[in-house]
Amino acid sequence: MREIQFREALGEAMSEEMRRDEKVFLMGEEVAEYNGAYKVSQGMLDEFGPERVIDTPIAELGFAGVGVGAAMNGLRPIIEFMTFNFSLVAIDQVINAAAKMMSMSGGQFSVPIVFRGPTGNAGMLSSQHSQNFENWFANTPGLKVVVPSNPYDAKGLLKSSIRDNDPTIFMESELMYGDKGEVPEGEYLIPIGVADIKREGTDVTLVSFGKMMKTVYEAADEAAKEGISCEVIDLRSVRPIDYATVVNSVKKTNRIVVVEEAWPLAAISSEITYHIQKFAFDYLDAPVHRVNSMDVPLPYAPTLIDAILPNVKRTMEAIKSVMYR
């Protein structure tokens, strides 16, 4: 297979779906004339024109609402937030309109919309531009929340998200847009809500999603040097969560570490921990451990960023703890 960048995989997914279905369109800040803030939509304005690749003012609440209304009337919008930190301005439309419309209309209106953009820290951008809201959105009935970790998954999951009749939050990472990975030439879809066992292992289950998978892979490599076999699971979506894959893995390894960039309180890792103690308690040989960002706003200084975010050192400490080493 060819190797392409994460941003190219996303661009291909959107372009293929726009060619397939004329109801699909892209809207957001700088998506058209500038070819996208992260060059994800490069060339799309030239191919599809300004009626389907639409630059907006800096008004997330406004263009998110336009997208919801368009979806209710039969179109399939892709709404790009320059970062999900800015989605807070539009959260009323996402939570109170898109997520609830099917229920509140008694099934008369579906909202087939994708809200996509980068999540989490991207270096020295300080507190207001470095937050993870996957667990916020995953807490909301009516939404699906997808967080891919590599170009192959990103393309297949974005195509599925665009075709889905439910509103979908599709969260990427500024630090991954240049990552390369193998992506096939032909069409393929990846179903939402199916986790992927990236590596088989026997001693401990490592669970994560999004760019934290890089940290997990590094930790698994370090653990292997010390004779610890890690089974690595990429959730890929955090609503719905593929609990069965995680539970079955823990039944095999008897230990689990969950790595997540979000703050620890009411996080996805908290939910995984609860589910494991409920459905795999008798199989556990050690308490569930999780590695989250420290419970503080992310600072600007790079030394403090390194100390606060999940990293290989903290993940290795968690692995050794569940192994009683």
Side-chain angles (χ1 to χ4, degrees):
M1 286 189 287
R2 71 215 166 111
E3 269 202 351
I4 63 173
Q5 291 183 336
F6 198 103
R7 61 167 56 90
E8 293 174 300
L10 295 170
E12 282 190 1
M14 291 192 293
S15 295
E16 288 177 12
E17 291 306 301
M18 288 175 72
R19 295 181 196 119
R20 174 182 172 272
D21 185 349
E22 64 181 12
K23 296 190 294 295
V24 179
F25 69 93
L26 172 66
M27 179 165 51
E29 296 151 351
E30 298 185 351
V31 299
E33 295 287 347
Y34 192 65
N35 284 306
Y38 312 104
K39 299 300 178 274
V40 172
S41 55
Q42 188 152 18
M44 292 179 65
L45 175 63
D46 293 337
E47 179 174 356
F48 300 105
E51 291 187 353
R52 297 184 68 195
V53 183
I54 304 166
D55 277 330
T56 68
I58 303 174
E60 286 80 8
L61 177 63
F63 64 77
V66 170
V68 172
M72 290 173 64
N73 282 279
L75 301 180
R76 291 185 174 270
I78 305 166
I79 303 299
E80 178 177 316
F81 294 125
M82 194 177 291
T83 159
F84 264 96
N85 296 279
F86 302 160
S87 74
L88 297 188
V89 183
I91 201 164
D92 182 64
Q93 288 294 337
V94 177
I95 302 296
N96 276 331
K100 297 173 182 171
M101 193 57 65
M102 173 69 82
S103 174
M104 292 178 67
S105 69
Q108 296 180 79
F109 289 102
S110 60
V111 186
I113 189 172
V114 175
F115 298 100
R116 52 157 293 271
T119 183
N121 95 90
M124 298 164 64
L125 297 178
S126 195
S127 304
Q128 292 183 349
H129 294 72
S130 304
Q131 300 163 110
N132 292 78
F133 297 125
E134 296 89 13
N135 52 327
W136 287 32
F137 290 115
N139 185 251
T140 307
L143 296 179
K144 294 178 178 175
V145 184
V146 179
V147 195
S149 68
N150 60 79
Y152 176 86
D153 288 350
K155 182 176 180 180
L157 286 165
L158 183 53
K159 288 171 69 72
S160 293
S161 298
I162 294 168
R163 297 187 191 188
D164 202 288
N165 287 326
D166 292 318
T168 302
I169 308 294
F170 195 94
M171 308 180 94
E172 305 145 13
S173 168
E174 290 178 53
L175 298 179
M176 295 182 70
Y177 284 128
D179 288 0
K180 287 189 173 182
E182 292 186 340
V183 177
E185 295 276 1
E187 163 130 323
Y188 68 96
L189 300 171
I190 296 175
I192 298 171
V194 179
D196 190 22
I197 300 175
K198 298 295 188 183
R199 297 185 188 179
E200 299 275 353
T202 57
D203 295 329
V204 56
T205 299
L206 303 183
V207 177
S208 191
F209 55 90
K211 73 169 176 288
M212 283 295 106
M213 288 300 298
K214 294 183 178 183
T215 298
V216 168
Y217 289 138
E218 288 186 50
D221 290 340
E222 288 297 312
K225 295 175 184 176
E226 301 194 25
I228 302 171
S229 172
C230 297
E231 180 140 299
V232 177
I233 296 178
D234 184 350
L235 290 178
R236 301 200 290 197
S237 70
V238 295
R239 188 178 184 110
I241 294 175
D242 183 358
Y243 295 110
T245 294
V246 179
V247 168
N248 289 335
S249 177
V250 171
K251 287 180 177 179
K252 178 174 69 172
T253 66
N254 311 116
R255 298 170 175 86
I256 179 172
V257 173
V258 188
V259 182
E260 179 186 12
E261 190 178 344
W263 296 308
L265 183 63
I268 298 299
S269 55
S270 310
E271 170 64 18
I272 295 291
T273 301
Y274 166 79
H275 208 85
I276 291 301
Q277 68 82 28
K278 181 173 175 63
F279 294 101
F281 182 82
D282 291 338
Y283 294 87
L284 287 172
D285 288 342
V288 178
H289 277 239
R290 60 196 186 115
V291 182
N292 292 83
S293 290
M294 301 297 186
D295 201 16
V296 296
L298 197 75
Y300 177 79
T303 50
L304 293 176
I305 293 173
D306 290 342
I308 285 170
L309 292 175
N311 55 36
V312 175
K313 179 177 180 293
R314 290 174 58 205
T315 305
M316 274 301 298
E317 289 171 353
I319 292 171
K320 288 183 178 181
S321 179
V322 299
M323 295 296 297
Y324 297 111
R325 291 194 183 182

